[in-house]
Amino acid sequence: MLRTQGNAHYRFLDFQDAEPGDRFCRVRHTPYGNRVCALEMAEVIAIDAKRVYCQLAGRKKRWSFRKTAEQPDCYVEEDPLFQSIALRFRQTERVERIKGWIQKAPVEAFDDRVCAAIEDWHRGRESPESE
């Protein structure tokens, strides 16, 4: 069974007692950065005395690492820290997708209803700071 170790500042997934069939999530970051670029589901498929072998969803190649190595970018799905990371990632992806639609849309596509909704949202964001 997989266990989360560490504290609020540094957490890692402990694979010492991992079993085939254990599922977890892996957070991938941009190279040399801390921006999350993907959340990948993974499953432990085999274990030997020194290594853990995993299969990442949607990939053919297996991923393996030393059983005693800390895995700081891996989380069980129920971990509150992972839930927070996943929520932020989904929100960021959604906003980026919407920004792309806005940039590609012709000006005529923005009727008064759309513009008023965006202006209302923007005013709502400014008002708590100005009070």
Side-chain angles (χ1 to χ4, degrees):
M1 171 158 247
L2 300 175
R3 293 177 312 187
T4 302
Q5 300 288 338
N7 56 33
H9 301 288
Y10 180 73
R11 285 189 174 164
F12 63 93
L13 206 52
D14 183 2
F15 284 85
Q16 292 293 327
D17 298 324
E19 301 169 350
D22 285 345
R23 300 172 75 69
F24 62 96
C25 301
R26 179 178 175 212
V27 177
R28 274 196 312 127
H29 295 74
T30 54
Y32 307 107
N34 61 355
R35 183 172 176 257
V36 175
C37 62
L39 301 177
E40 301 173 318
M41 294 301 296
E43 182 176 349
V44 176
I45 54 173
I47 300 171
D48 62 26
K50 293 183 181 181
R51 299 193 71 77
V52 176
Y53 301 91
C54 301
Q55 183 69 50
L56 293 169
R59 294 195 182 194
K60 292 181 182 180
K61 189 176 179 182
R62 290 184 177 178
W63 175 43
S64 70
F65 50 86
R66 285 189 351 256
K67 196 177 195 178
T68 57
E70 295 177 354
Q71 298 299 319
D73 293 328
C74 296
Y75 301 88
V76 290
E77 238 178 319
E78 299 81 29
D79 187 337
L81 179 59
F82 174 73
Q83 294 295 323
S84 174
I85 292 169
L87 177 63
R88 172 68 64 125
F89 175 72
R90 288 185 199 107
Q91 286 174 330
T92 301
E93 289 287 303
R94 185 177 182 198
V95 169
E96 290 300 319
R97 186 172 52 251
I98 291 168
K99 283 181 181 179
W101 294 340
I102 290 172
Q103 286 180 343
K104 292 176 185 173
V107 174
E108 301 82 35
F110 295 95
D111 59 10
D112 286 338
R113 185 176 46 100
V114 173
C115 292
I118 294 171
E119 289 167 347
D120 288 345
W121 170 80
H122 185 67
R123 274 193 296 275
R125 287 187 39 91
E126 287 182 338
S127 61
E129 296 171 5
S130 61
E131 293 178 359

